[in-house]
Structure formats: structure tokens, C-alpha cells
Amino acid sequence: MAEELVNMQNRRVLVTGAGSGIGAAVARQLARLGARVACLDRDGAAVTALAETLQADAIAIAADVSDGAVVARALAEADEKLGGIDGVVNSAGIVSVKPVTELSLDAWRAVIDVNLTGTFIVSQAAIPYLRRATNPAIVNISSAQALSPIAGTSAYSASKGGVLSLTRALAAELGPQIRVNSICPGLIDTPMNESLKTKADDGPPVPLDRYALRRWGDPDEVAATIVFLLSSAASYMTGASLAVDGGRTYH
């Protein structure tokens, strides 16, 4: 019964930030479960290469989520080529690790523009398409930093905290038809976090003793939770935030 509930056969899902990391893992899992996937990333070469490895129904779209006009065209293309949109995963994101006293306004705006404003732009543009779907859902990627920030992550933590609040506001406004949930990943082994494997802002390595499971997370582990939230198995969940963080936020 559980496998039937998470069956994504012929579901049509747009995944942003699909060029690498969590977004790419989500796209691969969705394709394996029979979904038709629109892989969106500002790195067009990366999503083209990914889509070619998935299936005939996977498409690649090069787009910057912080540009409203570009996103509108990307959503229209995804709708046309997939025959509709049933789900959206807002995984596009960037990070800045820098003391607040050294954080430039341009760097702050860049993080907010992609992580928070980009999530808003894509979600807003997707609403007309999702309203025509059955069991439509949006899943936003927040962060453990939104729940329990560490020093040097002012812009990133603020952007991801905003994603949490935006998720709840969208869930209240778009229900009962469209479900909107978010997840808060911890330390995940992705290219974006590569520098944290050895040090954080010229400091010591990220201490894994903050994590009850004492290890990095794998993108596939996060992707599995996202697929669950997109599926009928999560049909009575909206406005929720799930920590997928190895126990970081409680430990």
C-alpha cells in the first residue's frame, strides 16, 4: 500500500536547482518512479546532461529563478512539453558563509534573491498550472539553518527562515486545493557544501557532534522525503516543515 501511495507514475513535476545536489537527486528519484520531470537550473549544460540520463519525458530548461520573466517562460515551456504541471520542487539555492560585519549588501541581496525571492517567483508562476492538476503540491527547500543558525550564515539563514514563513503563508492561501510543505535539510553532501568538509570560513571543520547520527546526509535521503511530500501519501499534510538533518536541530 505504501509503495502505491508514493507511485509518481505519469506525474508531471518541475524541479528547480536540478543541475546538482538535492535537486538532481529529486529529479532522478522522480524519474525512477515514473514521473515526467522538467529539470530547471541556471546551468543549462548541467540540466541538459541530467535530463539525457533520465528518460524521454524529462526536459531541461535553463533559467534563473530570480528573474520573473524568465521563470514565466520556463513554466509555460514545462506545461507545454509535459502536458501540465502537478508538482513543483523549489530546490534552487546559493550559500554565503561570512561574518555579518564582512557581508556586503550585494552578497546579501544575491542570496535573498535566489533562495527566498526565487522560491516566491516560481511558486507564484506555477499556481495557474497547479490549479488545473489533481493533488497538486509544492515542496520548498528551507534549511536546518532556519531552525538553528550558526555564526557566519546571516544571509543564508534569513533567506531560509523566510522560505519557512512563505511556505506556511502559501499553504494557508492555496488550500484546500494546493498543498505546500517544506523540508529543512542538515549537512548534506552536495557540491554547494563541498568547502564545509574541511573548514567553514577559514575555521575548523564542521563539527559532526552536533548531529545525532554523526555523519553527513546523502542527497538521496533528502530526495526521498521530498517525493513523499509530493505524493498521495502526504495528502493530509500542508504548511508542514520536516527536519531532514540527522538530528541536528534537536541535539
Side-chain angles (χ1 to χ4, degrees):
M1 181 63 175
E3 291 182 359
E4 294 177 3
L5 287 174
V6 297
N7 181 3
M8 302 298 289
Q9 191 69 37
N10 294 322
R11 298 281 285 170
R12 303 155 300 182
V13 184
L14 174 81
V15 181
T16 75
S20 65
I22 293 172
V26 172
R28 286 192 292 266
Q29 287 199 22
L30 286 170
R32 283 198 297 270
L33 291 169
R36 300 157 67 187
V37 188
C39 305
L40 187 150
D41 198 286
R42 62 184 178 183
D43 185 342
V47 284
T48 297
L50 174 66
E52 289 175 350
T53 68
L54 299 182
Q55 59 182 42
D57 286 334
I59 64 169
I61 303 175
D64 182 343
V65 297
S66 67
D67 188 322
V70 169
V71 167
R73 291 193 294 270
L75 267 290
E77 179 180 349
D79 176 70
E80 178 183 0
K81 292 184 176 179
L82 298 183
I85 299 173
D86 301 302
V88 171
V89 179
N90 283 304
S91 183
I94 60 174
V95 67
S96 172
V97 180
K98 191 173 288 290
V100 67
T101 53
E102 300 175 16
L103 183 66
S104 70
L105 184 56
D106 285 344
W108 166 274
R109 284 175 171 159
V111 174
I112 298 296
D113 282 351
V114 173
N115 296 359
L116 178 55
T117 306
T119 297
F120 163 75
I121 289 172
V122 174
S123 298
Q124 184 187 55
I127 291 170
Y129 304 104
L130 293 172
R131 282 182 169 155
R132 300 199 296 262
T134 300
N135 187 30
I138 297 172
V139 181
N140 296 325
I141 312 301
S142 181
S143 171
Q145 297 291 350
L147 303 173
S148 178
I150 61 174
T153 64
S154 298
Y156 186 76
S157 296
S159 70
K160 292 302 188 176
V163 169
L164 282 184
S165 292
L166 175 62
T167 297
R168 293 164 184 156
L170 290 176
E173 185 170 347
L174 300 181
Q177 185 182 12
I178 302 172
R179 296 183 301 105
V180 189
N181 293 290
S182 65
I183 66 163
C184 295
L187 196 59
I188 308 302
D189 191 2
T190 66
M192 189 172 75
N193 290 330
E194 187 67 29
S195 64
L196 300 179
K197 285 186 176 180
T198 55
K199 60 182 180 179
D201 197 35
D202 297 323
V206 174
L208 287 176
D209 59 2
R210 292 176 178 167
Y211 292 77
L213 296 185
R214 300 294 195 277
R215 65 174 176 84
W216 286 66
D218 187 272
D220 281 332
E221 294 176 299
V222 180
T225 304
I226 294 170
V227 172
F228 161 73
L229 289 172
L230 288 170
S231 74
S232 297
S235 59
Y236 199 55
M237 293 182 66
T238 195
S241 173
L242 300 183
V244 188
D245 63 0
R248 177 186 185 277
T249 48
Y250 90 86
H251 187 60

